Amino acid sequence: MDSCTSLASISDPSSDVNGQTHHEAGSRKLCPVCGRDGASEWLRAPDHFHGLQDLYTLVRCPECSFVWQLNVPKPAEMYRHYTDAYHRLISASGQNTPHRWHARKAALAPHKQSGALLDIGCSSGAFLESLKDGPWTLYGIEMSADTAKIAEQRSGAQVFVGDVPDASFAPESLDVITCFDVLEHVYDPRQVMIKVEEWLKPGGIFYLLVPNIDSAEAKVFGSYWHGLELPRHLSHFSPVSLKYLAESVGLQEVSVVTRRNPAVGTSLRYFWDDIFRSVGIRRTPVAYREEAGFVWRAGRKLVRMTVLRALLAMAPLVGGGESIHAVFRKEGKTTGASE
């Protein structure tokens, strides 16, 4: 989970390439990315984070490998799944790991070093703040008016409040668009990609991160993988499906790689919660657990240094990293990284 997830309640999308909304495509198993019929059930899982038992069904496209959730909650109902506990954890994650923004700036630098930059799902503006007082004109998109105000105060950026399709950026007006751990939350990722392509200048860069449904942890833990985040994550990408989606709207691949972003401890916690529940013991869900005591923290650190380290060393034998880091470019003339 990341700090930029506030676009999760994006409104019902307009029609996709096949004239079907994401809801309709989901119920008919028509792929929202490539339009192919015949998706098969991939797995079922509950909302482990909140310790709930209602099952959600994921299906997978045989053509482009895109995975999506069937019969997703309606936008008006999504607030029930984005609780205060969820937002507190996400906010804390963004504030307590500032090193991530340095890494993302470094990843962007070889492609663009100045210009107009938009952060989709900017949350409280941590990434935009890391670019403050630099050679960038900063913009953001954020669903919450209160959170957008915080982002503006922190970064000096102009932040649009609302859904991506409703934002009023002029065509070919942006040099860079970033989107960190947000695309998996929106109802129609293709619609977002179309707007990105429209807003970017020729040669402009789209830099995004999403969880990798084909990662080692996803394969090992299955329905207990922390990255599923059901029902909040509506879409689940592999490198193949992400490239397919981007190229289908006219963006060119620059780099698509997977990187380790382990949360084995959380996935194991979900597994053990189920084991305890099967024998009549209900543990406090991850969403509501309190800060662990010293003894428990010490034991947890010991496990991370031994068992989990061994598991991570073997992870490449099973699958790719847990996070997809992708850079796409809009077709057209560009004069280099400093443009």
Side-chain angles (χ1 to χ4, degrees), residues 154-199:
R154 292 179 62 177
S155 66
Q158 296 181 39
V159 180
F160 173 83
V161 179
D163 295 342
V164 174
D166 297 330
S168 55
F169 297 100
E172 299 189 353
S173 62
L174 299 169
D175 296 280
V176 174
I177 298 177
T178 58
C179 184
F180 302 136
D181 296 293
V182 170
L183 198 63
E184 64 271 22
H185 290 265
V186 303
Y187 281 93
D188 192 340
R190 179 177 174 80
Q191 188 181 49
V192 173
M193 280 284 194
I194 289 172
K195 298 303 288 187
V196 165
E197 195 279 336
E198 175 187 321
W199 292 335

Side-chain angles (χ1 to χ4, degrees), residues 242-253 328:
L242 186 61
K243 287 189 286 187
Y244 193 112
L245 175 59
E247 291 173 355
S248 73
V249 302
L251 298 175
Q252 297 177 323
E253 175 189 352
F328 297 99

Side-chain angles (χ1 to χ4, degrees), residues 139-159:
Y139 302 93
I141 296 179
E142 168 56 40
M143 287 293 296
S144 165
D146 291 339
T147 305
K149 185 175 181 180
I150 295 172
E152 289 185 332
Q153 293 172 342
R154 292 179 62 177
S155 66
Q158 296 181 39
V159 180

Side-chain angles (χ1 to χ4, degrees), residues 1 6 35 52 73 85 88 106 132 140 205 230 232 265 275 277 284 287:
M1 295 179 286
S6 299
L52 304 177
R88 281 196 299 271
K132 185 179 179 180
I205 291 295
L230 299 174
R232 290 166 294 281
I275 295 296
R277 185 179 293 108
T284 302

Side-chain angles (χ1 to χ4, degrees), residues 3-151:
S3 63
C4 302
T5 54
S6 299
L7 290 181
S9 56
I10 190 169
S11 62
D12 279 311
S14 60
S15 295
D16 66 13
V17 287
N18 301 287
Q20 302 294 324
T21 68
H22 191 111
H23 293 304
E24 292 167 343
S27 60
R28 293 182 56 191
K29 296 188 179 181
L30 193 67
C31 180
V33 170
C34 72
R36 177 164 176 170
D37 204 351
S40 57
E41 183 174 318
W42 192 64
L43 62 73
R44 294 184 181 185
D47 181 354
H48 288 296
F49 179 72
H50 288 107
L52 304 177
Q53 296 304 297
D54 292 339
L55 292 177
Y56 301 93
T57 301
L58 296 178
V59 296
R60 186 163 197 155
C61 176
E63 176 69 19
C64 68
S65 87
F66 180 62
V67 175
W68 72 98
Q69 188 182 150
L70 287 183
N71 304 318
V72 300
K74 294 180 180 180
E77 300 171 351
M78 265 300 190
Y79 75 93
R80 301 172 183 171
H81 307 286
Y82 287 91
T83 60
D84 289 342
Y86 175 85
H87 286 299
R88 281 196 299 271
L89 182 62
I90 295 302
S91 178
S93 175
Q95 301 306 320
N96 296 335
T97 54
H99 61 276
R100 76 173 63 180
W101 311 124
H102 298 300
R104 292 174 192 180
K105 287 193 297 181
L108 179 61
H111 310 289
K112 293 286 182 178
Q113 297 177 359
S114 63
L117 181 147
L118 166 67
D119 188 24
I120 296 177
C122 66
S123 190
S124 57
F127 177 64
L128 292 173
E129 184 181 28
S130 75
L131 299 171
K132 185 179 179 180
D133 300 324
W136 298 98
T137 303
L138 300 175
Y139 302 93
I141 296 179
E142 168 56 40
M143 287 293 296
S144 165
D146 291 339
T147 305
K149 185 175 181 180
I150 295 172

